[in-house]
Amino acid sequence: MLDPIRLQHFRNLVSLSAADGNIKDVERVALSQIAFQREIPLDRLNIMLSRADEYKYIIPQNQKEKITQLHEMIDLAIVDGEISPAEMELIEMVGEKLGFSKDEIVEIMTRYRDPA
């Protein structure tokens, strides 16, 4: 049986990947790998990808899930080597809804771009 929290997080990742209006091949590969790791069946993945623009972002309920979700969103956004303005806007909007300040989001994004 699929873990509903993992499925929710994955649906949010699909939503993020479609935020720029186009799910790139590298994003599809990353989503496929994540789906495999989470034991999400291929047919379900394909349905989710075909309906990506219909999904609304669902806010996780606890702080650990919120941090995990933000990190997963950033990981997926940078998988193609760039963060589109739409992806960045979604990350900022979701980050704020998750309770992170703009400064915290900028700090997290900087750490991802320049880990030291």
Side-chain angles (χ1 to χ4, degrees), residues 5-72:
I5 302 237
R6 287 180 153 210
L7 194 58
Q8 172 187 326
H9 283 199
F10 186 75
R11 187 178 306 122
N12 287 345
L13 292 176
V14 171
S15 173
L16 173 66
S17 69
D20 60 3
N22 180 9
I23 301 177
K24 295 177 182 77
D25 288 341
V26 69
E27 292 170 324
R28 285 183 187 276
V29 169
L31 286 168
S32 295
Q33 291 171 343
I34 294 167
F36 178 77
Q37 291 169 351
R38 295 182 181 187
E39 300 178 354
I40 296 171
L42 182 60
D43 59 337
R44 186 136 191 196
L45 168 65
N46 289 331
I47 290 169
M48 293 173 95
L49 290 174
S50 70
R51 296 181 178 169
D53 59 336
E54 298 174 15
Y55 291 132
K56 295 200 184 322
Y57 192 88
I58 301 169
I59 304 295
Q61 297 302 307
N62 66 51
Q63 192 62 21
K64 182 180 177 193
E65 288 177 24
K66 291 176 183 181
I67 291 168
T68 298
Q69 186 67 59
L70 186 61
H71 286 189
E72 288 176 348

